[in-house]
Amino acid sequence: MIVAQAVGRALAACGVETAFGVVGSGNFHVTNALVAGGVRYVAARHEGGAATMADAYARMSGRVGVVSVHQGPGLTNALTGLTEAAKSRTPLVVLAGEATEVQSNFHIDQAALATAVGAVAMRVSAPEEAVSRAAEAYRVALGERRTVLLNLPLDVQAAPFEGPVDVPAAPPSTPPAVGAEELARLLGAAERPVFVAGRGARHARRELEELADRAGALLATSAVAKGLFRGSPWDLDVSGGFATPLAVELIRGADLVVAWGCALNMWTTRHGTLVTPGAKVVKVDLDPAAFTAHVRADLGVTGDVARVAEAVAVRVAPRQGYRSPEVAARVRAEGRWRDVPYEDESGGGRIDPRTLSIGLDDLLPRERIVAIDSGNFMGYPSMFIDVPDEGGFCFTQAFQSIGLGLATAIGAALARPDRLPVAALGDGGALMGIAELETVVRLGLPMVVVVYDDEAYGAEVHHFGPHGHPLGTVTFPPADLAAIARGHGFAAVTVGGPGDLAGVADWVDGPRDRPLLVHAKVTAEHGSWWLEEAFKGH
């Protein structure tokens, strides 16, 4: 056995189930060793897609993601996806061949690249440390929720390895809750408490709802945790740029905001405007650094969200809090974007993106997993296409890169094969990631890919256009995306008005033996309010 094989076998022994990648000479042996150890290998068509698939798979499965790439350009091709994962604190191990000879065309400072984007850089420097370093990379990814680059120098990879490779994965430790007593006191004094749950709370619905029931709290989530409280009569859905007018009003009216596994960044709080100056803020998180990030907490409670919620619940006497009959009635009547009236602007061969999204929400099966790319369009599917629970929405937006949506949907689909995968893309992002259409077909995924096509980089059009700037660099001639999809083996429909959605209904009612691309020619007269929010952060 050589070192590369020992590393792959060790990661399989740690519990890795699925790996993604693009294989070259520098990662050939380690990838085959993963497969030999029982790991499912998913080949992407570009390393950027592979990294994003692994990120989405980790988010939606709760397992450590693994991506395998060639040295040098294999890693640089993957870098945007790795940056998204690192910023999102996704547990991910990146296996990369490494050319240490400075004369090699493939030589770059790979450790410096990883550090620059917020990942943890490690290296197998000698044969005898192959298994221990692989296990350490896995444990750091899992226990510290980090993206780890494990560099595999070519000469070390090829060296003989002697020794066992069975390495049990150490479970991450859960720190005890510190501050639960004070949080209970604040909840007991609050008249209008609101819980905002983030990604770190997606495992804790039951515990949070039980505490909210006792404290009289309303329930909201960050975008990445959308669906967590679906079905609760007190669910305000997403807080922030995608929030309904009612959610904005009620969150701004809170006298206590408790963030559960949520840093309350500028998107979740609309640049801080959703938290009024008189409101107290509590953050519950495994990472104390979250307490001073973005909106500063008046109280930080260190610990696992579920365990903290349980510890607090036994200390809080039942009270009405924010849960009046009037509020309940308003949540029922105004709690979803589709309840908010709008003027349908469909016409002239183009469909209003709100009408499109509502139509898709009505047509597609409820058991779905929706992945959203970035761009001017992104709020429409995020707000109008519902999901059944916290396992139904995959939102890779920490780096705000377009082009990740299709690969995100593939990784999410493999994590949740029981659900219909839906990828919502803009035309710019779709064309950036279009190579992975072949991956969807090859894997036999019954995916619906929806392209909101305004024939432009809409964010730039609506940001610079009103000021009279020339837009020729950000607008494009029409592209027949349906024909491109059919060339890859998709079924496809072009939607220019509400009546064209019948083609989607036909696919849903049919055998679904091929994935479907919906080429939606959307109206583009107006920019989006969430886009204006985004540009405030630039």
Side-chain angles (χ1 to χ4, degrees), residues 65 90 238 243 288 323 347 461:
T90 299
V238 174
R323 296 186 173 188
V461 166

Side-chain angles (χ1 to χ4, degrees), residues 9 49 76-77 102 107 116 138-139 164 232 256 282 301 338 352 423 457:
R9 293 294 186 105
T76 58
N77 278 348
V102 295
H107 175 72
Y138 181 89
R139 289 168 182 158
S232 167
L256 175 65
V282 178
V301 181
R338 63 185 301 151
D352 189 309
Y457 294 144

Side-chain angles (χ1 to χ4, degrees), residues 108-129:
I108 54 173
D109 189 340
Q110 296 188 173
L113 281 179
T115 302
V117 302
V120 176
M122 296 184 181
R123 175 179 288 112
V124 176
S125 298
E128 60 271 17
E129 67 180 39

Side-chain angles (χ1 to χ4, degrees), residues 86-358:
K87 283 179 171 288
S88 297
R89 296 295 291 266
T90 299
L92 184 67
V93 175
V94 184
L95 301 172
E98 183 181 29
T100 53
E101 172 53 57
V102 295
Q103 301 303 317
S104 169
N105 289 346
F106 295 129
H107 175 72
I108 54 173
D109 189 340
Q110 296 188 173
L113 281 179
T115 302
V117 302
V120 176
M122 296 184 181
R123 175 179 288 112
V124 176
S125 298
E128 60 271 17
E129 67 180 39
V131 170
S132 62
R133 292 296 272 175
E136 182 185 6
Y138 181 89
R139 289 168 182 158
V140 169
L142 180 64
E144 299 180 23
R145 297 176 299 143
R146 299 297 299 273
T147 293
V148 179
L149 170 64
L150 184 60
N151 284 309
L152 304 173
L154 301 182
D155 57 342
V156 177
Q157 280 197 59
F161 175 83
E162 296 180 3
V165 295
D166 296 325
V167 181
S173 60
T174 300
V178 178
E181 194 72 45
E182 179 62 12
L183 174 52
R185 187 191 69 77
L186 290 172
L187 283 170
E191 296 181 357
R192 298 177 305 281
V194 170
F195 288 179
V196 181
R199 185 178 172 190
R202 289 174 59 214
H203 65 293
R205 172 172 180 161
R206 177 184 61 81
E207 293 85 355
L208 289 177
E209 285 192 331
E210 289 178 358
L211 176 58
D213 288 345
R214 295 184 68 82
L218 304 183
L219 299 164
T221 71
S222 67
V224 295
K226 178 181 172 68
L228 178 60
F229 301 118
R230 188 64 74 248
S232 167
W234 307 104
D235 177 22
L236 303 180
D237 202 31
V238 174
S239 172
F242 299 156
T244 63
L246 177 64
V248 170
E249 175 189 336
L250 293 175
I251 294 169
R252 281 180 175 159
D255 59 356
L256 175 65
V257 175
V258 185
W260 299 90
C262 175
L264 295 180
N265 64 25
M266 61 183 178
W267 315 121
T268 307
T269 64
R270 291 196 177 182
H271 295 266
T273 64
L274 293 188
V275 180
T276 56
K280 293 285 187 182
V281 174
V282 178
K283 293 184 179 181
V284 180
D285 206 286
L286 288 170
D287 185 1
F291 303 156
T292 54
H294 311 294
V295 176
R296 180 178 289 272
D298 297 292
L299 171 67
V301 181
T302 304
D304 173 76
V305 165
R307 303 290 78 77
V308 171
E310 287 180 328
V312 173
V314 299
R315 295 171 166 85
V316 175
R319 53 191 290 112
Q320 176 177 304
Y322 218 157
R323 296 186 173 188
S324 68
E326 178 189 8
V327 169
R330 293 193 66 192
V331 172
R332 285 194 302 272
E334 308 169 49
R336 295 291 175 266
W337 268 106
R338 63 185 301 151
D339 301 325
V340 179
Y342 71 95
E343 183 178 346
D344 190 344
E345 298 178 352
S346 302
R350 293 196 170 270
I351 187 169
D352 189 309
R354 295 165 293 187
T355 303
L356 168 69
S357 302
I358 292 171

Side-chain angles (χ1 to χ4, degrees), residues 299-442:
L299 171 67
V301 181
T302 304
D304 173 76
V305 165
R307 303 290 78 77
V308 171
E310 287 180 328
V312 173
V314 299
R315 295 171 166 85
V316 175
R319 53 191 290 112
Q320 176 177 304
Y322 218 157
R323 296 186 173 188
S324 68
E326 178 189 8
V327 169
R330 293 193 66 192
V331 172
R332 285 194 302 272
E334 308 169 49
R336 295 291 175 266
W337 268 106
R338 63 185 301 151
D339 301 325
V340 179
Y342 71 95
E343 183 178 346
D344 190 344
E345 298 178 352
S346 302
R350 293 196 170 270
I351 187 169
D352 189 309
R354 295 165 293 187
T355 303
L356 168 69
S357 302
I358 292 171
L360 292 170
D361 186 49
D362 289 340
L363 288 170
L364 298 177
R366 306 308 298 173
E367 289 299 308
R368 62 185 68 148
I369 186 164
V370 181
I372 311 290
D373 207 342
S374 190
N376 179 62
F377 80 97
M378 62 190 282
Y380 299 113
S382 298
M383 296 188 301
F384 291 98
I385 299 180
D386 204 4
V387 294
D389 54 34
E390 72 281 2
F393 196 68
C394 195
F395 196 67
T396 48
Q397 298 290 334
F399 197 34
Q400 286 186 260
S401 172
I402 72 170
L404 306 186
L406 181 57
T408 296
I410 295 171
L414 293 171
R416 293 299 306 265
D418 56 318
R419 295 193 168 181
L420 177 75
V422 180
L425 322 174
D427 53 306
L431 288 163
M432 278 190 182
I434 206 160
E436 304 304 346
L437 290 177
E438 187 276 336
T439 305
V440 175
V441 174
R442 172 166 36 89

